[in-house]
Amino acid sequence: MSPHLETWLRAELDALLALGIIEPCDSPVAHPIVIATKPKLRMCVDYSVWLNQWTVLLKHPIPSINYILEHLSRGTYFAQIDLAKAFHQLAVAPEDR
């Protein structure tokens, strides 16, 4: 890893620690960090090795965009979510951390 990316990663981890989004852990399970570099730097965690063995394939196809839009057109109330660091908005139960 280049010194520039290492500095950026340390700052990102420090910020996530300060926000309480992540916490120190001594678990024997670890997943590699991958840094996406385009269009801007973004930290990703590769869960594929562990997660793929536990993933159950969906038995139903994803609905088409036409089906979704047709059903949305009948809606009255809509919600909005800020997608900046959206994954971190999902709380994990303490016993599952």
Side-chain angles (χ1 to χ4, degrees):
M1 181 180 300
S2 73
H4 167 70
L5 289 179
E6 191 170 342
T7 301
W8 177 86
L9 179 59
R10 177 53 51 201
E12 185 72 8
L13 290 172
D14 289 343
L16 292 172
L17 277 167
L19 291 170
I21 293 172
I22 63 173
E23 58 189 40
C25 174
D26 61 357
S27 170
V29 178
H31 302 283
I33 292 175
V34 179
I35 299 176
T37 57
K38 293 181 181 178
K40 61 179 184 174
L41 294 179
R42 187 178 76 237
M43 182 180 73
C44 305
V45 180
D46 181 7
Y47 295 105
S48 64
V49 174
W50 179 85
L51 192 60
N52 285 347
Q53 64 184 327
W54 298 103
T55 302
V56 177
L57 296 177
L58 296 175
K59 297 181 191 275
H60 305 287
I62 297 174
S64 71
I65 189 67
N66 290 336
Y67 177 86
I68 293 169
L69 292 175
E70 179 183 329
H71 284 77
L72 281 174
S73 68
R74 299 183 209 144
T76 305
Y77 300 99
F78 297 94
Q80 179 177 329
I81 183 172
D82 178 8
L83 293 179
K85 298 189 185 292
F87 180 79
H88 301 305
Q89 296 178 17
L90 302 173
V92 177
E95 64 271 13
D96 295 330
R97 293 181 187 171

